[in-house]
Amino acid sequence: MIIDCHGHYTTEPKALHDYRKCQIAGLTDPAQAPSKASLKISDDQIREGLEGAQLKLQRERGTDLTIFSPRASGMGHHIGNAATSEEWSRISNDLIHRACTLYPRNFVGVCQLPQSPGVRPSNCVAELERCVKELGFIGCNLNPDPSGGYWTDPPFTDKWWYPLYEKMVELDVPAMVHVSSSCNPNFHFTGAHYINADTTAFMQFITSDLFKDFPTLRMIIPHGGGAVPYHWGRYRGLAQDLGRPPLKEFLLKNVFFDTCVYHLPGIELLLKVIPADNILFASEMVGAVRGIDPETGYPYDHTKRYIDAIDWLSVADREKIFHGNVKKVFSRFAAQDTTR
Amino acid sequence: MIIDCHGHYTTEPKALHDYRKCQIAGLTDPAQAPSKASLKISDDQIREGLEGAQLKLQRERGTDLTIFSPRASGMGHHIGNAATSEEWSRISNDLIHRACTLYPRNFVGVCQLPQSPGVRPSNCVAELERCVKELGFIGCNLNPDPSGGYWTDPPFTDKWWYPLYEKMVELDVPAMVHVSSSCNPNFHFTGAHYINADTTAFMQFITSDLFKDFPTLRMIIPHGGGAVPYHWGRYRGLAQDLGRPPLKEFLLKNVFFDTCVYHLPGIELLLKVIPADNILFASEMVGAVRGIDPETGYPYDHTKRYIDAIDWLSVADREKIFHGNVKKVFSRFAAQDTTR
């Protein structure tokens, strides 16, 4: 079984985008604010968006199941206020739930949180609990920069975030570190902001005792861990200079990396420096990069091919990466359906 | 000959730090502002700082010459205003000049610029010209985020920066993309802010026509290019999706990467995916990481060892990386002393 731990709903029905446009317009002109009842999406519209995209690619690539969450760039935590974010998160999460209900063998849900810059993350506890307990979701995406590129909230290691971590630990769900779109012209969203956030979060973990305070808290750093594996020597050395324990024993019980790295040399490096116990298969399809690599004739984001091409990877490690680690990190996944 | 293109003066005499402390104190209490005449540093004090550190390491590691600039984290462009930055830049650059004059075979100068958040970079033209024409410097360090972690100035590709680029082209000097310290608690300076800035600048180049406007402008992205080589497939794919030309022909006449990557697998990846024509040897010693790697018994930042260990690297490519490319990118270096 092959589980893709990182997929976003990037083929949403048009009605969802229209609703969001009206929601945003309503921030300045309340007459345009939509009623929830106005959002009408049929099951067939959901099927249509998924069949020709995520489901087709699962079949073509031989992956079985995707851990599925709302479009990351669509979370837009910097837009409006906490109420805007809460309404939008509920709608987005409900739609993920419907997709998972229509295709229970193909998708398992992960939620977006109603974060808002300057607002304490304790405001996310209720929606997380609803998604896990009522919708059967198995994790959340957590944005280290709700401002969308200005980084004005406290770091992940600040007590500001602790009420949310307490709930994550209680529910036994991990978070994927994932920013949303960037409203800062310095940062292209998928080319700079995403990767920077991954790198930033890891370095925050190095400089703190977060996982001493929460020994069972689990964080997945997507996009192959940002710059971290490429600079693994730098991070080992910085930790050492700062008097922290060796990284493997210090962070790798709690921090995991996905395989969203879109070329073979990158995946080779990832698998060389990070223990297989800490790597989760992912492609982020349909996501940031959609083209065909002219050098290989295959899609850049067909990451399974790169892993398949590494002949020194043991069968046991391959199985950990493709599904074993998912069941460990997303412990509710294992509990939910033992036939999988 | 082996040239290290990335070294900072991180062993400055104590008097320099004392001066800076007074300069900063003077921002709120003018009575504490120091007079320039109060800064007294003897040649012996300069020798003392360098002999036991950079010069010793050059000898031990078998490198010949370092392209030398003021401490990057010390630039502190976010502190005070443009006048603060100008005074501090002149002092810092003058000290680099003295080090280069004392050891002309070991150091060549690169300057810090008097950047200040919200201030047009045209304010840097005079200091760049002074350093190149009067002090014999061969390049500059250019900070894409003078705010120190809040990214409030326009991206590198905005016309905001063009007057400085015009001067760089006229003087025929490259810039190394290098932020300074971070005053944003989200970003550890050497562990997150530096690497993020490298990645960010490259993505800015992808989304613009900067090098169409300045075909001879040359930028060095340090720290192995941030996350870029590790995610080379992502960047090729993003460029393709955005309708940009293939990266090699689009950017690699103007953009270069250094080798400040502190473990062998990272250097292997860099040399595998980036053409040797675009890689410049560097260690950043004495810099961000100072310890001994227990896995090898050698300093993390002894990057020459990693390059030496790559047996598939041709002699011609090795020579390009160790010195050939420096003479191409820093064209004033070649012009300055043909005996080197």
Side-chain angles (χ1 to χ4, degrees), chain A residues 16-44:
Chain A
L16 186 77
H17 292 292
D18 291 344
Y19 185 93
R20 177 65 162 167
K21 267 183 215 152
C22 292
Q23 194 205 22
I24 294 170
L27 293 170
T28 45
D29 174 12
Q32 294 194 54
S35 75
K36 270 201 185 173
S38 72
L39 177 62
K40 294 202 194 316
I41 293 173
S42 69
D43 285 353
D44 276 349

Side-chain angles (χ1 to χ4, degrees), chain B residues 244-265:
Chain B
R244 316 299 292 172
L247 288 187
K248 282 189 191 178
E249 62 189 70
F250 176 42
L251 292 182
L252 295 192
K253 284 184 217 73
N254 304 90
V255 179
F256 302 84
F257 301 89
D258 82 7
T259 67
C260 290
V261 177
Y262 296 155
H263 63 150
L264 179 57

Side-chain angles (χ1 to χ4, degrees), chain B residues 41-43 46 93-103:
Chain B
I41 293 173
S42 70
D43 285 354
I46 295 174
N93 291 331
D94 285 346
L95 201 64
I96 292 291
H97 178 57
R98 287 181 63 191
C100 295
T101 306
L102 286 172
Y103 298 98

Side-chain angles (χ1 to χ4, degrees), chain A residues 191 230 235-236 240 263 293 300, chain B residues 191 230 235 240 263 293 300:
Chain A
Y230 176 48
Y235 290 102
R236 287 198 298 114
Q240 186 174 317
H263 63 151
D293 184 347
Y300 288 100
Chain B
Y230 176 47
Y235 290 102
Q240 187 174 317
H263 63 150
D293 184 348
Y300 288 99

Side-chain angles (χ1 to χ4, degrees), chain B residues 12-35:
Chain B
E12 319 92 321
K14 184 174 171 295
L16 187 75
H17 293 292
D18 292 342
Y19 185 93
R20 177 64 163 168
K21 268 183 213 150
C22 293
Q23 193 205 21
I24 294 170
L27 294 170
T28 45
D29 173 12
Q32 293 194 55
S35 75

